[in-house]
Amino acid sequence: MNWKPELDDLARREAFAREMGGVDKVKRQRDQGRLTVRERIDRLVDDKSFHEVGAVSGSAEYDERGELRNLTPANCVFGRGRIDGRTVVVVATISPCVAVPPMHRSPPNR
C-alpha cells in the first residue's frame, strides 16, 4: 500500500497551518503591534525546543477532485518544549489575552 498521497495531504495541511490564516491576517496582527502565536512561543521556549502537536488540525476545504484547497488552522497551538532546560507543555491561543472565568465553589457539605 502506498501512503504517499495521505502523507502529501498532511504536509499540505501543515503548510497551510503555518501560514496562520494568510499574509493579510499576519499583517493585521503585526500592524496592531502583536506577535503571532508561534512567534510568542518561540520567545518563550528554549531555542528550537518546541515540538507542536496537532499542527494539521483545523477546518479543511477540498475541491471536487478531493484535493486540499485551503485549511483554516485551529485557534490553539499545543506542544512541548523546554524553558531553561526543563520540559514544559505549552498551550497558546491565537489571541494573546483570554479571559478565564473564576472557578465557582460550592459551599462545603455540613
Side-chain angles (χ1 to χ4, degrees), residues 57-73:
S57 61
S59 298
E61 295 175 27
Y62 290 87
D63 65 17
E64 59 280 346
R65 294 175 295 148
E67 297 290 322
L68 181 66
R69 287 186 41 222
N70 190 22
L71 176 85
T72 302

Side-chain angles (χ1 to χ4, degrees), residues 22-102:
V23 175
D24 292 342
K25 290 189 179 180
V26 172
K27 181 182 181 317
R28 186 177 69 203
Q29 268 194 293
R30 293 217 174 101
D31 287 349
Q32 295 172 356
R34 295 176 16 195
L35 298 172
T36 67
V37 66
R38 289 185 175 85
E39 290 169 335
R40 293 193 316 268
I41 290 171
D42 286 345
R43 289 188 178 194
L44 174 68
V45 299
D46 296 349
D47 192 35
K48 297 183 175 147
S49 71
F50 185 69
H51 176 76
E52 186 173 345
V53 177
V56 297
S57 61
S59 298
E61 295 175 27
Y62 290 87
D63 65 17
E64 59 280 346
R65 294 175 295 148
E67 297 290 322
L68 181 66
R69 287 186 41 222
N70 190 22
L71 176 85
T72 302
N75 66 346
C76 181
V77 175
F78 173 80
R80 62 180 163 74
R82 293 186 173 274
I83 297 177
D84 294 331
R86 300 178 80 179
T87 301
V88 296
V89 172
V90 177
V91 180
T93 60
I94 300 303
S95 177
C97 294
V98 176
V100 178

Side-chain angles (χ1 to χ4, degrees), residues 1-7:
M1 178 172 216
N2 181 2
W3 288 95
K4 185 168 178 9
E6 287 80 4
L7 293 173

